[in-house]
Amino acid sequence: MRIAKNSVVAIDYTLKDDDGMVIDTSDGSEPLFYLHGTGGLIVGLERELSGKQVGDHLQVVVAPVDGYGEWNDALQHDVSREEFSDIDDLELGMEFEVDTGDGPTLVTVVEISDDMVTVDGNHPLAGVTLSFDVTIRDVREATAEELAHGHVHGPGGHSH
Ligand code: ZN
């Protein structure tokens, strides 16, 4: 069968950034299972997988707008160091959930000075053009229960 909305799909993939560096891969582990058409994958990749079938092999280049978004300067904020006074071992790369008024957002500490801390709410892959190498391993219809839950059950999925 061909991949369509509500297909359960298993893919092997390798993801590289603009410089050809491997960011993520299923090589050496189980394929990635996802429920097609529910936003489980980034938009630009899911769109290319529609209509494909087991054994198909694709190279997909996804622009930031269809991936993790453009880099946005406005998502970097300087915060008074005092705001972090209850954290003993503040260091670069630490992640915090903050309330921005639009709900909780994950931010990463990108700079620390004596009195200020710069946090960044951009996704680590924002602004990056993504290159996927994908092989489709399995396609099946989702069960009614999977559709109700919005995720895959069984091998590669939830086991609850
Ligand atoms: Zn479930």
Side-chain angles (χ1 to χ4, degrees), residues 75 77 96-107 121:
L75 295 178
H77 297 281
F96 296 92
E97 200 165 72
V98 295
D99 194 352
T100 58
D102 299 325
T105 304
L106 198 64
V107 299

Side-chain angles (χ1 to χ4, degrees), residues 30 55 63 66 83 89 93 102-104 109 119 129 136 156:
E30 292 300 303
D66 286 332
E83 302 273 332
D89 49 355
D102 299 325
V109 174
V119 296
T129 298
I136 295 154

Side-chain angles (χ1 to χ4, degrees), residues 71-79 108 110-111 117-122:
W71 181 266
N72 184 355
D73 269 347
L75 295 178
Q76 281 208 350
H77 297 281
D78 290 330
V79 183
T108 306
V110 293
E111 210 177 310
V117 175
T118 307
V119 296
D120 185 352
N122 284 289

